[in-house]
Amino acid sequence: MLFNSFEFAIFLPVVFALYWIVGKDNRRHQNLFLLVASYFFYAYWDWRFLSLIFFSSLIDYYSGLRIYNSTSDHTKKLWLYFSIFWNLGTLFIFKYFNFFIEGFHEILGLQNSHSFLNIILPVGLSFYTFQTLSYTIDVFKKRIKPTHQLLEFLCFVSFFPQLVAGPVERASHLLPQFLKRREFNYQNAKEGLRQILWGLFKKMVIADNLAIAVNEMYSNYEQFQSLELLYIAVLYYFQLYCDFSGYVDIAIGSARLFGFELSVNFRMPHLSRSIRDFWRRWNITLSQWFRDYLFIPLVRKRKRTNLNTYIGLFITFTLIGFWHGAAWNFLLFGMIHATLVIIYRIIGEPQIKDYKSYWNYKLMDYIFLISNFFILVLTLIIFRTPDVSLGIDIIAKIFSFVPDSDFQTVIGLKSLFIIILLLIELPNRNKDFPLLRLEKQMPRFARWALYYFLIFMIFRYTGPEVEYIYFQF
């Protein structure tokens, strides 16, 4: 069930109303109803994978208890390894098995090779697997105590707003929210609706319209010249950003309606001054997961030297790229970002504060911002094209500097959507989302004018329905 679908437009208000009626005075009733609603939401896509998420939840719930209650360190490690093996093994089978089998076929020179398994990647597997895996690791590291409440743990894993595309929540943040009764808060619900509205605008108006131009270019890139290709690459960045962050806005806003606070996952990544800064702003919960559960253990396990740090950074960012999908372009994307992060680590992050003059400060700030954005959109060409050689051809054509003979007006007009986005985002860049706490900024009449403008844009300028890009990851 897509957030921008007619079905979800019915599902959400019905679940919202029944949730506050059924669970008005009882936390267990609230959680039981949320669990049923979440399983229905997931089953609407494919009911066969309900057993997978349920079984995974049981394994990690029981593993957490066994780790905590065991007196032997050896037994604790066995249960931790069992949890890791199950989660990563499941992810490998569904997401990476065919990639490695096909790779072995190519290495062995087998002709007409085909995958041994023809399977569908369960929606959200990459997200909820990391979420449950962090739970057992945190219990093992004694960062948290395991819950004895099975119902609440099942809700933590399957909570429908963030089930299929994040944010990747830690048990220390989300699980305690299921262990207390929620009370309806009008202001919280109002902020939730605003964030949902903003997310729908980004997804349906901006991302889906930009997808028209982006898909056209990648289908017929030979027809485009240097500046056109670069312009389309910029459009793809904003398509990807508005698609993913729009989903997350709807997820966080929907969770607010039920009394939950989810983690912020985006902080205007197009304002980053380096690739490392980009990952502090883009899919924040995922990059923090890799930092805490992969990079830090890798570096701490060895003697802390610059070389070991660089190796840890390369492995971490390469796997962040590979997390996105079992394809060479994602692997290469991760390696490129790893290399850029290491280079910045060696030469130092851009430090605009070193420039005392105001004009030098602003000039260098814009140079860092624009140059990093240019590097970013080029790497996203590799991210977008499953055929790595095609991505390299497009980048080479951008640097050919062949003049454009006929810039397409329809494609050019797509920039208007980006201008609207930036005009709303930039003045509110210190907020979790632009429409937060509007009462402090705008009078009632102006607020409602803005709401109606966004609603009008959604109904009038919604692009053709495009599935969320991150569903494939």
Side-chain angles (χ1 to χ4, degrees), residues 191 194-195 198 202 241 249 252 256 264-268 271 281 284 424-442 447 450-451:
E191 297 292 359
R194 287 173 179 160
Q195 195 158 4
W198 179 239
K202 285 201 289 187
Y241 167 68
D249 280 328
I252 295 174
R256 283 178 181 270
V264 175
N265 214 29
F266 289 88
R267 292 204 180 276
M268 298 189 69
L271 296 184
R281 297 167 174 267
I284 298 169
I424 297 176
E425 274 198 345
L426 288 175
N428 298 282
R429 56 184 172 273
N430 295 322
K431 294 182 178 181
D432 289 346
F433 70 101
L435 307 189
L436 182 65
R437 295 187 294 275
L438 278 186
E439 291 88 345
K440 296 182 179 180
Q441 282 186 298
M442 304 171 67
R447 291 200 307 272
L450 177 60
Y451 301 153

Side-chain angles (χ1 to χ4, degrees), residues 129-144:
T129 294
F130 274 34
Q131 190 159 301
T132 56
L133 189 57
S134 67
Y135 169 79
T136 51
I137 294 174
D138 284 348
V139 171
F140 179 80
K141 296 289 187 180
K142 298 182 180 180
R143 297 169 183 156
I144 61 172

